[in-house]
Amino acid sequence: MSTRTTQEEIRRRRTFAIISHPDAGKTTLTEKFLLYGGAINLAGSVKGKATARHAVSDWMEIEKQRGISVTSSVLQFEYDDCCINILDTPGHQDFSEDTYRTLMAADQAIMVIDGSKGVEAQTKKLFKVCTMRHIPIFTFINKMDRDAMDTFELLDDIENNLGIATCPRNWPIGSGKDFKGIYDRESGQIVTYADTMKGTKEGTETLIPLEDQAAAQAATGEAAYEQLTGELELLDGAGAEFDVEAVRRGELTPVFFGSALQNFGVERFLKRFLELGMAPGGRTAADGAEIDAETHDFTAFVFKIQANMNKAHRDRIAFMRICSGRYDADAEVKHVRSGRVMRLSQPQQLMADERKILSEAFAGDIIGVFDPGLFAIGDTLCMPRDNVTYEGIPTFAPEHFARVRQVDTMKRKQFVKGIEQIAQEGAIQIFQEYNTGMEEIIVGVVGVLQFDVLKFRLQSEYNVEIILDNLPYEYIRWVDSPDVDMDRLSGTSDMKKIRDMNGRPLLLFINEWSPQMTIERNKGLILSEFRKN
Ligand code: G4P
């Protein structure tokens, strides 16, 4: 039981997601954070990285044994008296709609960019979802120990590709084999690079004030020093002013450079991030009321439901983000949509590589509870006497589509039941041809792995075998204008009309530019990339 007050507990929490393109270094950075937090211990270990990776991926392994690798859960650890919740956003093959939904539960995001590549496709997609919510975004430009793009070019790339202003808080001195360290703009010191710290916390970096020209030149070399001072001059003339409020509104991203692998610049970044980052502040309810995190009683919303693919345990876990107050495992809470009052069953939290049953949790925390089949994504929970409903989580645009056929058409009933159930959990989205009945079902997913998950689950849980015929569409848009005549819509030749299970019209396109062309051809047509629920 915590000896701190609820308010103190909430104020020391930082809940965030790390967004990046695969291979930019998200896992490596997370491992280093865990190392500083003492959640994994590998100081001094030569095979540091391997050990760390093992610790982190252990809980992924647990999920795999449960039959599913599609996971986005949370790692909680302590650092500098802060309680940190990192929401895992699956990136590689297991990229899915859950990755987007997880961002709905984060108060801020760290964006990891590979210094040699700049902004990449997946970062862009995830960033878009973050801007929808105007959450603060902190940028870590990684792999500076490898040859990187020109620093100004990197910043331009972020500004042009993502539309957010940048404000570097430190500045790299060279990169790759010429990487000498960083200049910390806040302290006015050069921090020299040393790559001898693999797997350890102890750094051998030295700090040299920029004005101490002789010492600085000795550490970086004359040419690098000259380049640095030249770049800093340019930067002072051109860069955006640092404005914490603009950071908090999501309009300006503070940028830090470093190397996650070599553990350089990571702790500085973490410290600054914790200082500048936001504690849980509250959330707006569907009726517009502001629910304050510290003063309001317990409220939470479900952002992810994970089904167990193991036939023997058909349980589901609902992950919820606590938005306000304190959660007490002994107390009863209300599931607002059904009106049911209950005790949450087996509340648990993931701590690095183990699950622990918890007795209390606070705003900012994520808990996973056993779901008796009651919870749906977006549901609100609150105290029994209270009545809060948070806005639902939007439905995000799938990017891969396939037509589904049953092998044995006699099993129609099981097939429909199964596919509807899986869609309700939020793993897939199902659609129909615009003008026909239930015969043809089109499945849409954000990440292709979900097709395999669907096949596997229909077979193992519902005993239904299916064939998926891939469709060439990649872009889906919800038709948001109420009085558009779908039959008379003048679209592009690659357009297909479909509807969702509630009869709402949608359009599928093969080409990226087709949605815009269709808007131009139809006066008053509004197309949106996600659907508010
Ligand atoms: P991800 O989670 O974003 O997909 O990336 P991850 O951390 O797994 O890193 C991807 C690869 O990039 C890994 O190499 C990792 O060691 C490397 N890496 C991460 N940070 C840095 C860095 O700061 N500098 C350099 N030079 N490399 C970095 P790998 O060869 O794919 O994996 P492994 O064999 O090292 O495990």
Side-chain angles (χ1 to χ4, degrees), residues 18-186:
I18 304 186
I19 60 172
S20 66
H21 192 81
D23 280 343
K26 186 184 69 159
T27 313
T28 313
L29 188 70
T30 309
E31 284 166 1
K32 294 293 153 40
F33 284 171
L34 291 177
L35 169 69
Y36 288 115
I40 51 174
N41 183 11
L42 48 119
S45 153
V46 225
K47 14 181 226 331
K49 184 142 183 297
T51 322
R53 188 159 292 247
H54 185 65
V56 173
S57 57
D58 260 353
W59 54 268
M60 302 279 287
E61 216 35 63
I62 298 170
E63 305 294 342
K64 266 192 207 138
Q65 281 159 15
R66 299 179 74 247
I68 191 159
S69 66
V70 190
T71 176
S72 43
S73 306
V74 68
L75 292 163
Q76 188 180 62
F77 65 97
E78 304 253 334
Y79 176 80
D80 250 8
D81 214 28
C82 279
C83 177
I84 298 166
N85 292 311
I86 306 186
L87 296 163
D88 187 39
T89 47
H92 290 248
Q93 319 86 310
D94 42 10
F95 190 64
S96 71
E97 209 178 336
D98 268 343
T99 313
Y100 292 142
R101 289 190 195 111
T102 297
L103 296 177
M104 298 291 123
D107 292 329
Q108 49 238 315
I110 288 179
M111 175 163 77
V112 181
I113 288 178
D114 181 334
S116 68
K117 301 212 168 116
V119 174
E120 294 174 88
Q122 198 157 296
T123 315
K124 215 169 158 176
K125 286 183 199 167
L126 294 164
F127 182 88
K128 250 191 194 171
V129 177
C130 292
T131 43
M132 230 169 77
R133 293 191 49 231
H134 308 288
I135 59 174
I137 299 185
F138 297 79
T139 304
F140 186 78
I141 300 194
N142 190 30
K143 303 198 184 183
M144 292 309 294
D145 59 310
R146 294 248 183 95
D147 287 341
M149 282 162 63
D150 173 77
T151 312
F152 285 109
E153 256 174 56
L154 271 168
L155 299 176
D156 278 351
D157 186 45
I158 295 173
E159 302 208 349
N160 297 338
N161 257 309
L162 304 177
I164 188 169
T166 58
C167 185
R169 303 316 295 143
N170 60 38
W171 193 262
I173 309 170
S175 69
K177 60 178 179 4
D178 296 323
F179 187 45
K180 305 289 186 214
I182 49 169
Y183 168 68
D184 181 354
R185 296 178 76 201
E186 290 173 2

